[in-house]
Amino acid sequence: MDVRQSIHSEHARQLDTAALRREFLIEKIFEADSYTLTYSHIDRIIIGGVMPVQQSVSIGSEVGQQLGVSYFLERRELGVINIGGPGLIDVDGKIWEIGHEEALYVGKGAQTVLFRSANPEQPAKFYYNSAPAHTTYPDKKITLEEASPATLGDPATSNRRTINKFIVPDVLPTCQLTMGLTKLEPGSLWNTMPCHTHERRMEVYFYFDMDEETAVFHMMGEPQETRHLLVHNEQAVISPSWSIHAGVGTKRYTFIWGMAGENQVFDDMDHVKVSELR
């Protein structure tokens, strides 16, 4: 378990590139036949990936012990989006077939969650977020067709994109976790601009669908104290509530966003004009 501390906005202003990357960037999400797990003290979100190839992978009781509980999801809910080949997730004996760009929500209390790929030649890549939960909601699979879509932006501003909201109140109930997948159209490079913050929840961006020489300049920091991180394929950025979160790529890309906090209203944002950024 990689543990990240909360960072005060005034502290973040003093950090150099290496320190910003150490605090906010998750450079490795997937490892073959294993899982990764980063625990952030910012709203207690957990970020990671599971990539079963030759064998099944589970997030075992050792994680529960590190969290001070008996098993991983004793006091947590889980959201998973598969960006790889077809896979299966066994939740307490019930098998869910999760294809490419499909999602699964797992409610609090699931004791066994086992991941495997349908074809080792095309392994599944299960990206996940987990947040503390106070009650149990039903497990649910969400396909791309069942997600709540919204197409925003304009080619003139290079930010035409479709936001596919997989785990949101319009699709299913959760305690606090929300997740979705945003696809940029060809020729669009910005994932959002003008940018925003949202004081009532944090957010994590996971960038993928990028080749080796593609990068995203991820903008972060207070609106008048902006910084940037260079993000490459299958890397994630933790964004505190005080920070903007916007990126521009050298080519188009796709990203998954996940949020945790006290408010699930998607449009509850504090918008920042471009002219106000510094």
Side-chain angles (χ1 to χ4, degrees):
M1 180 186 293
D2 178 16
V3 177
R4 305 289 179 95
Q5 300 289 333
S6 297
I7 298 295
H8 195 285
S9 56
E10 292 184 5
H11 179 193
R13 297 178 192 179
Q14 315 304 319
L15 300 180
D16 62 13
T17 297
L20 283 172
R21 294 176 69 86
R22 184 173 62 248
E23 298 294 345
F24 298 106
L25 181 67
I26 304 172
E27 295 192 70
K28 191 173 186 61
I29 293 291
F30 294 113
E31 295 181 5
D33 288 325
S34 187
Y35 68 85
T36 65
L37 189 152
T38 298
Y39 180 101
S40 173
H41 282 278
I42 302 172
D43 284 311
R44 308 273 177 191
I45 196 168
I46 288 177
I47 307 107
V50 185
M51 184 179 172
V53 183
Q54 299 296 334
Q55 60 189 34
S56 300
V57 177
S58 65
I59 302 177
S61 59
E62 72 280 359
V63 173
Q65 293 170 3
Q66 290 174 305
L67 295 174
V69 292
S70 301
Y71 51 93
F72 179 36
L73 297 181
E74 183 175 347
R75 300 294 299 274
R76 286 184 163 269
E77 58 188 354
L78 177 72
V80 182
I81 299 178
N82 181 13
I83 68 164
L88 302 99
I89 303 178
D90 181 337
V91 181
D92 287 342
K94 181 171 182 178
I95 307 296
W96 300 87
E97 296 182 1
I98 308 297
H100 181 69
E101 294 186 351
E102 293 183 342
L104 179 67
Y105 171 78
V106 181
K108 180 182 84 74
Q111 296 193 32
T112 303
V113 184
L114 187 67
F115 301 84
R116 66 177 185 268
S117 294
N119 180 1
E121 301 299 319
Q122 296 178 308
K125 290 184 174 182
F126 297 109
Y127 172 74
Y128 72 88
N129 290 167
S130 173
H134 61 274
T135 192
T136 300
Y137 288 110
D139 301 346
K140 182 177 174 62
K141 173 182 173 179
I142 310 101
T143 66
L144 195 60
E145 293 73 24
E146 293 169 325
S148 175
T151 299
L152 303 173
D154 191 312
T157 49
S158 299
N159 67 346
R160 186 71 172 170
R161 62 204 188 277
T162 298
I163 303 170
N164 299 286
K165 304 171 191 173
F166 281 96
I167 300 175
V168 295
D170 290 346
V171 177
L172 77 167
T174 69
C175 291
Q176 62 169 312
L177 183 67
T178 59
M179 292 181 72
L181 183 152
T182 298
K183 288 190 170 189
L184 276 66
E185 294 189 1
S188 285
L189 304 174
W190 284 97
N191 54 50
T192 181
M193 186 58 71
C195 60
H196 62 267
T197 61
H198 24 74
E199 188 63 32
R200 288 150 292 278
R201 59 185 184 268
M202 62 83 67
E203 188 160 7
V204 179
Y205 274 15
F206 168 65
Y207 292 97
F208 68 102
D209 196 18
M210 299 157 59
D211 61 40
E212 185 176 355
E213 290 303 318
T214 298
V216 173
F217 290 76
H218 179 91
M219 308 301 170
M220 62 164 295
E222 298 167 280
Q224 283 73 50
E225 288 282 349
T226 59
R227 306 289 188 270
H228 76 269
L229 293 169
L230 249 292
V231 184
H232 295 278
N233 191 43
E234 297 182 357
Q235 296 182 340
V237 180
I238 300 168
S239 179
S241 59
W242 48 261
S243 176
I244 64 169
H245 36 281
V248 60
T250 56
K251 290 169 62 176
R252 68 164 297 280
Y253 52 90
T254 307
F255 71 100
I256 293 171
W257 45 268
M259 293 183 278
E262 62 180 300
N263 193 335
Q264 292 182 312
V265 179
F266 185 82
D267 294 329
D268 181 19
M269 304 171 185
D270 302 310
H271 295 278
V272 182
K273 294 180 181 179
V274 174
S275 59
E276 297 174 345
L277 292 171
R278 297 291 184 271

